[in-house]
Every structure is written in C-alpha cells, then in structure tokens.
Amino acid sequence: MNLYEVLHVSENAPEEVIRLAYKGLAQKFHPDRYKGVDANEKMVLLRKAYETLTDETKRAEYDKYLHDIRAKTKLQEEISRHKAQEELLKKYQDLHVNSAEKKGNKDKKINKTVTYIIIGLIALFFGIFLLFNTKTPEGYIDETDLTKETIVTQNETNHIEEISPVSDQLDNNVNQEQTINLLQDDDLIRDVVNDFDTIYKESGITGLISSIEECYKSKSNIKYCFYLDTASRYLDHGVSLSWNTDVNPFFENENFGNRVLKNFYIPMGVDDSEIIHSHLLESNALVAKKLAEIDK
C-alpha cells in the first residue's frame, strides 16, 4: 500500500484534500477511539503519509519513486514475458530442426521458414517494424528509398523473397561487405546495457536522450550509440505500455528511423533495406537478452 492509499486519496489530489483526509482518519484511528492493537502503527503510518504528501519537495521525490518502481516492474514483466515466449518458440524451432535433419533438404527449408516466422513474432512483440510504412511521412527517410533498384519484383520472381537475419546473409554471400560491417558485438552490447542501466537510475529517460544525442554528435563509436539508442527505445516503449501513455517523441518510429539511418547505417556504408531490417530485428533481440541478464 503506497502513501496515497494510506490516506485514501488519488495521486493527483490537491493538498487541501490530503489534509482533510488525514484529519478524518487521524480522528478515526486515534488511540482514544480506536481500540485495535495496531492503533499506534496506524497513526505512525498516517502521520508519515501526511508529512510526505503535504511537503512539495518530499511529494515530488515520492512520486518519482513510485514512477520508477512501476516502470522497473513493468520492464521486468515485459522481459520475463519475452523470455518465456522466446523459450517456447525455441522449443518449437528445435522440433522442426530435428525433423529437418531426418527428412532432408525439403524439411530444412520448412525449418528456415519457421525461423523467419519466429523473428517476425519477436519483432512484432517489441513493436520495431520501423521502416516499412506504406505511407512515407514528410521528412522521413523510407528505407525502401535507400536502394537504387527495387529489392523484390513480383512480376520477375512471382514470389516475395524471404528476409533472412544477418547471419544468413553472410552464408548466402548477399551484400557481404555491408553485412560484415554490421556484425553484432556481444561485449559492446553488454557494456552499453550496463551504462544504460546506470544512466537511467541516475537521470531517467531525459538522461538517456541527452547521452544518445551527445554520443551521435561525438561520432566516437557509432555502434555504441546505436545500441544505446535501441535499448533506450525499448525501455521507453515498455514504460508507455505500462502507463498507457504516448511514446516519447524522441523514440517515435519516424524520429528513431531517421536518426539511426543518418547516424549509423549510412556512415557504416549500409544502404540495403533488407540488411537494415534484419539487423534491427537481431539487434533488438540481443539488447533485450542483455537487459534480462542484468535484471537477474
């Protein structure tokens, strides 16, 4: 029970209401009237709630404490839910892998399709379908504009090519040079997530946004900046779901998409939309995994 619940008031209650609520409850639970064995305990709690919520500074600090606790709890729930889903999908994938080994190449193709479905589900879960809007907002760099030629032509192939993760791009020697530039750095992701956790605890979302902007501006390690941006966006979307609020404008799809294209993919010499999409999916999953590890 938080201090607002102790006084039976809402979290946006004005000071006058809090004072009246305290007065009424203090009279009700005064030891002269209330004969319960917990009379003193109730009075101490009521007094603490009253002193905290009628002091502007203490109330602001307490509201921030409640916000941080709820945000962290929601983030933990999202990570746990994702982990459980990932484990279930992994079992499903392993089942198809074993089947493919027995049945040959035909079944291996089925297994590969299942892998793509799994990646798609994870992406949908975290809401990172960023660069495939049917309408391009004004000023937004649509990823389909990054290539000089159409990636998939329905009339030429009569099918839509599968989008494979970065590791499969290497195996198939597709845009190998660009893909090598985007190889994931597990140690760097771990370091970024640890820094991200420290920054968020000290200065919240505002501190993370400032760190991201300064990082991109310095151009010292754009991979570090990209992972920090990805982790922060994951947190902001989790908090917005928890509080049923709008996503911070800094992390909206259009702004995030433009930012990573301008500051990361283009400087890295990557202009293939399939590779960009695959890399975004893979990076988000790895960042989520590291977040889950530090939360244990």
Side-chain angles (χ1 to χ4, degrees), residues 3 6-7 48 101 105 118 136 267:
L3 298 184
V6 169
L7 295 178
K48 178 183 178 182
E101 290 176 349
N105 292 333
I118 292 170
T136 304

PDB file of all heavy atoms in Angstrom, residues 3 6-7 48 101 105 118 136 267:
ATOM      1  N   LEU A   3       1.521   5.572  -0.021  1.00  0.00           N
ATOM      2  CA  LEU A   3       1.079   6.609   0.916  1.00  0.00           C
ATOM      3  C   LEU A   3      -0.245   7.245   0.492  1.00  0.00           C
ATOM      4  O   LEU A   3      -1.014   7.695   1.346  1.00  0.00           O
ATOM      5  CB  LEU A   3       2.164   7.677   1.050  1.00  0.00           C
ATOM      6  CG  LEU A   3       3.505   7.178   1.625  1.00  0.00           C
ATOM      7  CD1 LEU A   3       4.474   8.334   1.801  1.00  0.00           C
ATOM      8  CD2 LEU A   3       3.300   6.453   2.954  1.00  0.00           C
ATOM      9  N   VAL A   6      -2.818   4.962   1.770  1.00  0.00           N
ATOM     10  CA  VAL A   6      -2.944   5.074   3.227  1.00  0.00           C
ATOM     11  C   VAL A   6      -3.981   6.133   3.589  1.00  0.00           C
ATOM     12  O   VAL A   6      -4.811   5.948   4.487  1.00  0.00           O
ATOM     13  CB  VAL A   6      -1.586   5.427   3.860  1.00  0.00           C
ATOM     14  CG1 VAL A   6      -1.765   5.801   5.334  1.00  0.00           C
ATOM     15  CG2 VAL A   6      -0.629   4.246   3.740  1.00  0.00           C
ATOM     16  N   LEU A   7      -3.952   7.263   2.861  1.00  0.00           N
ATOM     17  CA  LEU A   7      -4.890   8.353   3.138  1.00  0.00           C
ATOM     18  C   LEU A   7      -6.166   8.270   2.306  1.00  0.00           C
ATOM     19  O   LEU A   7      -7.039   9.136   2.418  1.00  0.00           O
ATOM     20  CB  LEU A   7      -4.208   9.698   2.866  1.00  0.00           C
ATOM     21  CG  LEU A   7      -3.018  10.033   3.778  1.00  0.00           C
ATOM     22  CD1 LEU A   7      -2.404  11.366   3.378  1.00  0.00           C
ATOM     23  CD2 LEU A   7      -3.442  10.068   5.235  1.00  0.00           C
ATOM     24  N   LYS A  48       3.183   9.717   8.640  1.00  0.00           N
ATOM     25  CA  LYS A  48       4.220   9.669   7.610  1.00  0.00           C
ATOM     26  C   LYS A  48       3.641  10.069   6.253  1.00  0.00           C
ATOM     27  O   LYS A  48       4.253  10.853   5.504  1.00  0.00           O
ATOM     28  CB  LYS A  48       4.820   8.269   7.531  1.00  0.00           C
ATOM     29  CG  LYS A  48       5.872   8.128   6.431  1.00  0.00           C
ATOM     30  CD  LYS A  48       6.394   6.712   6.335  1.00  0.00           C
ATOM     31  CE  LYS A  48       7.406   6.590   5.195  1.00  0.00           C
ATOM     32  NZ  LYS A  48       7.907   5.200   5.045  1.00  0.00           N
ATOM     33  N   GLU A 101      16.476 -32.567 -40.046  1.00  0.00           N
ATOM     34  CA  GLU A 101      17.661 -33.407 -40.160  1.00  0.00           C
ATOM     35  C   GLU A 101      17.293 -34.805 -40.643  1.00  0.00           C
ATOM     36  O   GLU A 101      18.079 -35.470 -41.321  1.00  0.00           O
ATOM     37  CB  GLU A 101      18.365 -33.487 -38.811  1.00  0.00           C
ATOM     38  CG  GLU A 101      19.033 -32.175 -38.408  1.00  0.00           C
ATOM     39  CD  GLU A 101      19.638 -32.247 -37.032  1.00  0.00           C
ATOM     40  OE1 GLU A 101      19.356 -33.244 -36.322  1.00  0.00           O
ATOM     41  OE2 GLU A 101      20.381 -31.311 -36.660  1.00  0.00           O
ATOM     42  N   ASN A 105      16.678 -31.994 -47.191  1.00  0.00           N
ATOM     43  CA  ASN A 105      16.705 -30.586 -47.575  1.00  0.00           C
ATOM     44  C   ASN A 105      15.320 -29.956 -47.665  1.00  0.00           C
ATOM     45  O   ASN A 105      15.153 -28.773 -47.378  1.00  0.00           O
ATOM     46  CB  ASN A 105      17.403 -30.425 -48.928  1.00  0.00           C
ATOM     47  CG  ASN A 105      18.875 -30.739 -48.840  1.00  0.00           C
ATOM     48  OD1 ASN A 105      19.469 -30.583 -47.774  1.00  0.00           O
ATOM     49  ND2 ASN A 105      19.451 -31.195 -49.939  1.00  0.00           N
ATOM     50  N   ILE A 118       9.564 -16.887 -36.433  1.00  0.00           N
ATOM     51  CA  ILE A 118       9.938 -16.587 -35.046  1.00  0.00           C
ATOM     52  C   ILE A 118      10.508 -15.184 -34.934  1.00  0.00           C
ATOM     53  O   ILE A 118      10.143 -14.409 -34.047  1.00  0.00           O
ATOM     54  CB  ILE A 118      10.958 -17.618 -34.533  1.00  0.00           C
ATOM     55  CG1 ILE A 118      10.283 -18.992 -34.398  1.00  0.00           C
ATOM     56  CG2 ILE A 118      11.549 -17.205 -33.191  1.00  0.00           C
ATOM     57  CD1 ILE A 118      11.234 -20.125 -34.138  1.00  0.00           C
ATOM     58  N   THR A 136       4.945   7.367 -46.580  1.00  0.00           N
ATOM     59  CA  THR A 136       6.154   7.965 -46.024  1.00  0.00           C
ATOM     60  C   THR A 136       5.828   9.328 -45.467  1.00  0.00           C
ATOM     61  O   THR A 136       5.472  10.227 -46.221  1.00  0.00           O
ATOM     62  CB  THR A 136       7.230   8.098 -47.113  1.00  0.00           C
ATOM     63  OG1 THR A 136       7.462   6.823 -47.682  1.00  0.00           O
ATOM     64  CG2 THR A 136       8.515   8.662 -46.524  1.00  0.00           C
ATOM     65  N   PRO A 267      26.663   6.109 -42.351  1.00  0.00           N
ATOM     66  CA  PRO A 267      28.112   6.183 -42.098  1.00  0.00           C
ATOM     67  C   PRO A 267      28.802   4.823 -42.165  1.00  0.00           C
ATOM     68  O   PRO A 267      29.991   4.748 -42.470  1.00  0.00           O
ATOM     69  CB  PRO A 267      28.191   6.768 -40.678  1.00  0.00           C
ATOM     70  CG  PRO A 267      26.941   7.558 -40.530  1.00  0.00           C
ATOM     71  CD  PRO A 267      25.899   6.774 -41.274  1.00  0.00           C
TER      72      PRO A 267
END
